[in-house]
Amino acid sequence: MTDRRSFLAMTGGLILAAAAPRKSVAAGPKVLRVVPQSDLKILDPIWTTAIITRNHGYAIYDTLFGVDGQGQVKPQMVSEYSQSDDGKVWIFTLRKGLKFHDGAPVTSADVIQSLKRWGARDNLGQRLLAATASLDAKSDDTFILTLKQRFGLVLEALSKPASVPPFIMPKRVAGTSPDQQITSQIGSGPFVFKTDEYRPGERVVYVKNTDYVPRNEPTSGTAGGKVVNVDRMEWIILTDGQTQTNAIINGEVDLIEWVPADQYVALRNNPKITFVDLVPKGSFALHLNHLYPPFNNPKIAQAAYMAISQDALMKAQMVHPDLYNTNASLYPTGTVYHSEKTSYYTGKPQFARARALLKEAGYNNEPVVLMYPASFAILNKFPPVMAALLKQAGFNVDMQSMDWPTLVARRALKTPPAQGGWGAFITGWNIPDNINPLFYAPLTGNGENGWFGWPTDAKLEALKDEFLLATTNEQRKSLADQIQERNYDAAIVAPIGEYKTITAARKDVITGTVSSPVCVYWGIQKG
Amino acid sequence: MAIFLVRRLIATIPVLLVVAVIIFLMTRLAPGDPAAAIVGNDASAAALEAVRAQLGLKDPLLLQFGRWLLGVLHGDLGQSFFMKQPVSKLIGQRIEPTIALSTLTIIVTILLAVPLGVLAAWRHGGWLDRGLMTFSALGFSVPVFVTGYVLIWIFALRLQLLPVQGYNRIADGVLPWLRNLILPATTLSIVYLALIARVTRASVAEALTEDFIRTARAKGISELRVLIHHALRNAAIPIVTVIGIGIALLIGGVVITESVFAIPGLGSLTVDAVLSRDFPLIQGITLLFAAIYVGINLLVDLSYLLLDPRIRQ
């Protein structure tokens, strides 16, 4: 009997001990526990344009220039720079005391090799390298960029926050072929990556780089003083929205980087949670295949744009009006090139006008193969609404269901829609992607060498070339307006609205998040 | 016995080979392009082609298959397309949570289900029997994720007793390890308890109607001994079989539970690999699952030999 009692007491004690609530560790290291927007699988931010890899890049690498909260380019690793009167020779000097995580100093040789690798992958980097006559080290901390011709966006390229930022790596790492992923994670940024604790699908760990010397200016975007206020940052991979919500309410994580739309109301009403500004918003766009009927005829493509009801589409996808806004401009609301000059495009349905245009263009009832990523929660409410709108405008719509990887593979096919190709699809973009017409990947007019949909429009390409050479803000603004209007005339990209990203944080533990064109973790205070 | 074992082991080779061919063809014939997922939304068609070539996806299918099979025969499951790490290492990182969850679930289930099934058969038609049957019906009909979220709501969010998500390695301590596994193991146990208890009840109830039970009782043997030694032993083969099937199903069934409780196990790794079309990872995990199925079947067959002397002859 005594034995049985002992056994029961021991078992009960074990269960109670296991079930006892976790106490916070007093006076331990400050650990920021974050649910990132997706899993970090690829660690080379030059090799992929995945947003999560870029965010990882900003944690461990630094850039020569940054972009502040107002979109202005500011020196970051660079202490001073100058350009010749003809704009062809640029001299840059690095800040004193820059060190990689292995203790080695950052030198001009590291910078030059890093820029070469970046320039082989990034669209704007390719243009800059093509315009470059030479890129040489003058000394360990000074390098010279000599251009064959004036290039109006040197600083914009060197501070480019997306899709592939020019991160500075050690020369030996940056010497990796641009087509191969790097295997080292040594940077000179404010966080150090813990390779030994990296478990894709589970956890990514960073610790504060105690050797990092922030700039003296206040933090602003990817510019200014990158001050890290925590000892350790853990990215905890939670893919299920409900689990994310439960975990933050229960205090198991401090911050959800990007709250799923269906969890928004639950978190908004929770007194323990506050919403902070951390992740920039983005937009969605309709993309058409210009190689085949019906959209090889710009008038018919324009008719499709006239069918768009941004309000109906965004309401279906984003559910709550707090999470979206309409915007007919190609450029994000509140940014430098945002413009009301949108030609015929209003983002509101103009069915009568669309039907008239279809008649005038001789639309022959060719089916519009609309790709529908049925299980992809971020986009799967759009296609059924889009199909209904197109039908109302007079289109014959063939909506085909598939998963997202299939859609991504199929959009690369140049075969006719009836032979496995496609006619239209919708996808999303981050603010840094379309803040500048030269950054925006689908805004191409160079036919089959361009982005999926392959529109051919020499006028658009000429305007982009002019934009590249423009030297004043006024010239650029005027050209951005013209590019936008040309985009609608040639019916290349149709914006269908902007989504707002909501970051949830534990009210009692998080302060000091930094508003930036990309998601960054310096500045945050815990406790 | 040894000859039987050797024969069965040899017989697994063609089974695994066929499975390997099927897995390979299924990954390659299914639509979706890993290269497109790797390079991102704004990659050009030329970049896609370059990555495809780099991953070896432009090679003839037979060459790709031969390369993979040769690697497998040398113990190399290949490298993940995305993570650029060996598949065996990724599986190694994720196997502990899945094995821990499955093992704890099956132990709890057997410890509860078999006695409950025996008691229900013994008190056939009584309140325990009726209660168990009702519980079985509920256990089968309520989806795992519903049970999981209800348990989370009660024990984590309301009572603040257990964590919502995550997994602690056993090397970090038994109590933290157990703490994270209580809710997911309970969630899964409810389903398997329903299955195994029901089969135990039916099997023991049938054994209790046999002549040898009547004889045993007539000889004055205690009721406990009749139940355990005579009825349960003779009803063991279907019970062992369903436990074997249960374990095999469990390995697949942990996927949803791992997702609900954010346990970084093989289930979530599989889903992730499929969604991103990470072919080497899909192939490696599926081959491992197939080997586990084959191994469990082998163990079940061996248990028949131990339980029933007639089979040995």
Side-chain angles (χ1 to χ4, degrees):
Chain A
M1 195 69 183
T2 311
D3 284 344
R4 194 174 63 184
R5 273 189 188 148
S6 304
F7 173 76
L8 287 172
M10 194 179 73
T11 312
L14 192 72
I15 291 169
L16 283 174
R22 264 188 286 198
K23 305 285 180 207
S24 56
V25 181
K30 280 187 182 174
V31 182
L32 178 68
R33 297 162 304 170
V34 173
V35 179
Q37 55 189 269
S38 62
D39 189 11
L40 177 69
K41 292 181 189 164
I42 301 172
L43 299 177
D44 186 345
I46 306 298
W47 200 70
T48 182
T49 60
I51 291 168
I52 190 72
T53 308
R54 182 194 66 205
N55 293 351
H56 158 75
Y58 271 105
I60 68 168
Y61 300 111
D62 214 343
T63 49
L64 296 171
F65 289 83
V67 180
D68 71 9
Q70 286 69 49
Q72 299 298 313
V73 177
K74 295 281 172 66
Q76 185 50 236
M77 295 174 81
V78 162
S79 63
E80 54 202 56
Y81 67 98
S82 63
Q83 61 171 312
S84 61
D85 291 342
D86 63 0
K88 288 187 181 176
V89 181
W90 292 72
I91 302 174
F92 302 93
T93 304
L94 296 172
R95 280 200 287 145
K96 301 280 179 216
L98 295 177
K99 265 194 223 174
F100 286 112
H101 300 152
D102 59 2
V106 179
T107 66
S108 301
D110 300 309
V111 172
I112 289 166
Q113 191 62 52
S114 297
L115 292 181
K116 282 181 178 169
R117 185 165 188 267
W118 160 76
R121 298 286 296 193
D122 182 71
N123 293 337
L124 191 56
Q126 284 167 359
R127 285 179 181 251
L128 176 60
L129 286 197
T132 297
S134 65
L135 183 58
D136 299 311
K138 185 180 170 193
S139 65
D140 271 357
D141 65 354
T142 303
F143 62 96
I144 303 171
L145 170 70
T146 308
L147 299 167
K148 294 178 210 161
Q149 64 201 54
R150 183 183 276 278
F151 189 91
L153 297 177
V154 170
L155 298 184
E156 282 76 3
L158 297 181
S159 63
K160 188 171 181 261
S163 20
V164 182
F167 293 122
I168 304 304
M169 303 173 176
K171 185 183 175 187
R172 66 174 192 285
V173 179
T176 309
S177 160
D179 295 328
Q180 298 288 332
Q181 286 187 48
I182 55 170
T183 53
S184 164
Q185 293 297 301
I186 300 287
S188 64
F191 288 96
V192 178
F193 181 72
K194 292 282 288 172
T195 307
D196 56 332
E197 294 189 53
Y198 172 52
R199 290 182 183 277
E202 180 182 353
R203 197 169 296 250
V204 185
V205 178
Y206 303 88
V207 291
K208 179 179 179 171
N209 176 10
T210 49
D211 282 341
Y212 187 78
V213 181
R215 294 184 71 91
N216 286 326
E217 299 94 341
T219 312
S220 182
T222 61
K226 298 176 178 177
V227 179
V228 173
N229 298 309
V230 292
D231 302 302
R232 182 180 164 94
M233 174 169 72
E234 295 179 357
W235 287 4
I236 297 163
I237 313 301
L238 300 178
T239 50
D240 180 72
Q242 186 63 55
T243 307
Q244 293 177 7
T245 299
N246 291 339
I248 198 168
I249 289 172
N250 221 29
E252 293 169 37
V253 297
D254 303 317
L255 188 141
I256 302 172
E257 199 172 275
W258 189 343
V259 172
D262 57 353
Q263 300 296 322
Y264 167 68
V265 172
L267 286 170
R268 189 186 60 175
N269 295 333
N270 192 298
K272 294 174 185 167
I273 307 299
T274 183
F275 291 143
V276 292
D277 189 9
L278 186 73
V279 183
K281 64 182 183 180
S283 60
F284 295 104
L286 173 71
H287 302 278
L288 306 176
N289 189 344
H290 292 252
L291 286 185
Y292 297 103
F295 298 128
N296 60 348
N297 182 336
K299 280 190 177 174
I300 296 179
Q302 285 178 9
Y305 283 18
M306 288 173 185
I308 288 172
S309 165
Q310 289 194 336
D311 195 51
L313 285 158
M314 294 304 287
K315 196 173 193 174
Q317 185 64 50
M318 299 308 297
V319 182
H320 200 286
D322 287 2
L323 300 178
Y324 68 87
N325 60 273
T326 56
N327 173 26
S329 174
L330 204 55
Y331 312 111
T333 311
T335 61
V336 179
Y337 300 124
H338 179 266
S339 166
E340 302 295 330
K341 294 175 184 168
T342 56
S343 182
Y344 65 90
Y345 186 67
T346 59
K348 292 176 183 149
Q350 309 165 62
F351 296 126
R353 210 172 152 196
R355 279 192 287 268
L357 200 57
L358 283 181
K359 197 172 175 186
E360 185 191 322
Y363 175 56
N364 206 18
N365 211 38
E366 294 96 341
V368 173
V369 175
L370 176 65
M371 295 196 285
Y372 172 30
S375 57
F376 195 40
I378 296 168
L379 295 169
N380 65 359
K381 312 292 188 306
F382 285 129
V385 180
M386 192 71 241
L389 292 167
L390 287 170
K391 280 176 191 167
Q392 219 171 328
F395 282 95
N396 170 18
V397 182
D398 174 13
M399 188 171 71
Q400 296 185 12
S401 177
M402 61 197 73
D403 69 355
W404 179 248
T406 305
L407 186 153
V408 172
R410 191 162 163 185
R411 74 179 180 186
L413 296 179
K414 290 180 181 169
T415 49
Q419 294 167 33
W422 58 278
F425 72 94
I426 290 167
T427 191
W429 300 91
N430 272 185
I431 269 203
D433 293 324
N434 55 343
I435 199 167
N436 179 311
L438 292 187
F439 293 178
Y440 202 13
L443 191 60
T444 58
N446 55 344
E448 296 198 36
N449 294 320
W451 201 73
F452 314 103
W454 311 286
T456 300
D457 191 80
K459 192 171 175 190
L460 179 82
E461 287 299 297
L463 285 169
K464 282 170 66 181
D465 286 342
E466 275 188 63
F467 188 92
L468 193 63
L469 298 175
T471 50
T472 67
N473 290 337
E474 291 71 26
Q475 283 174 327
R476 287 185 195 140
K477 174 67 180 146
S478 164
L479 283 162
D481 284 356
Q482 292 173 54
I483 287 171
Q484 175 166 288
E485 288 177 281
R486 186 61 207 163
N487 167 68
Y488 291 122
D489 288 345
I492 293 170
V493 182
I496 58 176
E498 292 176 343
Y499 59 87
K500 293 176 188 168
T501 46
I502 303 292
T503 298
R506 291 281 300 184
K507 206 178 257 179
D508 53 340
V509 292
I510 295 293
T511 51
T513 48
V514 174
S515 178
S516 166
V518 293
C519 181
V520 296
Y521 283 97
W522 47 81
I524 290 184
Q525 304 261 9
K526 182 174 178 185
Chain B
M1 180 100 162
I3 294 170
F4 172 83
L5 189 62
V6 170
R7 271 191 196 153
R8 284 299 312 266
L9 282 174
I10 292 171
T12 60
I13 294 169
V15 172
L16 289 176
L17 194 64
V18 169
V19 169
V21 174
I22 292 170
I23 296 165
F24 182 84
L25 287 177
M26 280 175 72
T27 54
R28 294 312 192 276
L29 296 178
D33 182 358
I38 286 170
V39 287
N41 207 20
D42 46 2
S44 64
L48 274 175
E49 284 300 296
V51 174
R52 272 191 207 115
Q54 200 191 325
L55 298 176
L57 294 171
K58 297 184 88 170
D59 295 335
L61 270 187
L62 204 59
L63 179 63
Q64 291 182 45
F65 179 67
R67 207 162 40 210
W68 176 62
L69 192 63
L70 203 65
V72 171
L73 292 174
H74 285 88
D76 175 12
L77 293 173
Q79 198 176 50
S80 158
F81 280 167
F82 286 80
M83 293 170 262
K84 290 291 162 199
Q85 295 188 37
V87 168
S88 50
K89 182 185 168 191
L90 292 168
I91 289 176
Q93 282 179 351
R94 299 291 197 94
I95 204 164
E96 186 197 309
T98 301
I99 287 182
L101 176 58
S102 307
T103 309
L104 195 64
T105 302
I106 210 73
I107 289 172
V108 170
T109 305
I110 291 171
L111 287 179
L112 289 175
V114 174
L116 280 174
V118 171
L119 285 174
W122 184 50
R123 286 283 177 252
H124 195 267
W127 64 266
L128 179 69
D129 186 27
R130 288 200 303 274
L132 188 69
M133 287 306 97
T134 308
F135 176 77
S136 292
L138 278 173
F140 278 127
S141 32
V142 179
V144 170
F145 65 88
V146 173
T147 313
Y149 284 130
V150 169
L151 291 177
I152 287 172
W153 186 76
I154 296 170
F155 292 100
L157 298 179
R158 303 296 299 176
L159 300 177
Q160 300 263 303
L161 285 173
L162 293 163
V164 163
Q165 53 78 37
Y167 176 78
N168 282 307
R169 311 257 148 196
I170 198 163
D172 298 333
V174 175
L175 285 181
W177 172 79
L178 190 61
R179 199 180 135 74
N180 277 82
L181 280 181
I182 290 174
L183 287 185
T186 306
T187 305
L188 269 176
S189 294
I190 288 171
V191 176
Y192 292 98
L193 198 145
L195 173 74
I196 295 170
R198 199 173 254 267
V199 172
T200 305
R201 171 190 172 272
S203 194
V204 172
E206 193 186 332
L208 285 174
T209 62
E210 298 287 341
D211 290 344
F212 64 88
I213 296 289
R214 198 168 54 241
T215 309
R217 281 177 173 153
K219 284 162 74 179
I221 294 173
S222 74
E223 197 60 18
L224 187 65
R225 193 170 162 77
V226 167
L227 274 178
I228 306 295
H229 193 73
H230 295 274
L232 183 58
R233 191 169 176 185
N234 279 281
I237 286 191
I239 297 170
V240 168
T241 307
V242 83
I243 288 173
I245 294 169
I247 295 171
L249 287 174
L250 185 67
I251 299 290
V254 294
V255 173
I256 298 168
T257 315
E258 284 183 4
S259 169
V260 170
F261 291 94
I263 295 173
L266 286 179
S268 49
L269 186 66
T270 311
V271 172
D272 206 24
V274 170
L275 288 178
S276 54
R277 304 293 195 271
D278 197 335
F279 296 159
L281 199 49
I282 298 170
Q283 288 160 200
I285 300 169
T286 321
L287 198 61
L288 175 72
F289 280 155
I292 290 173
Y293 273 79
V294 169
I296 289 168
N297 271 320
L298 185 62
L299 288 175
V300 169
D301 284 355
L302 284 174
S303 74
Y304 291 169
L305 294 178
L306 298 173
L307 291 169
D308 192 343
R310 287 170 298 181
I311 298 176
R312 265 177 269 169
Q313 290 158 10

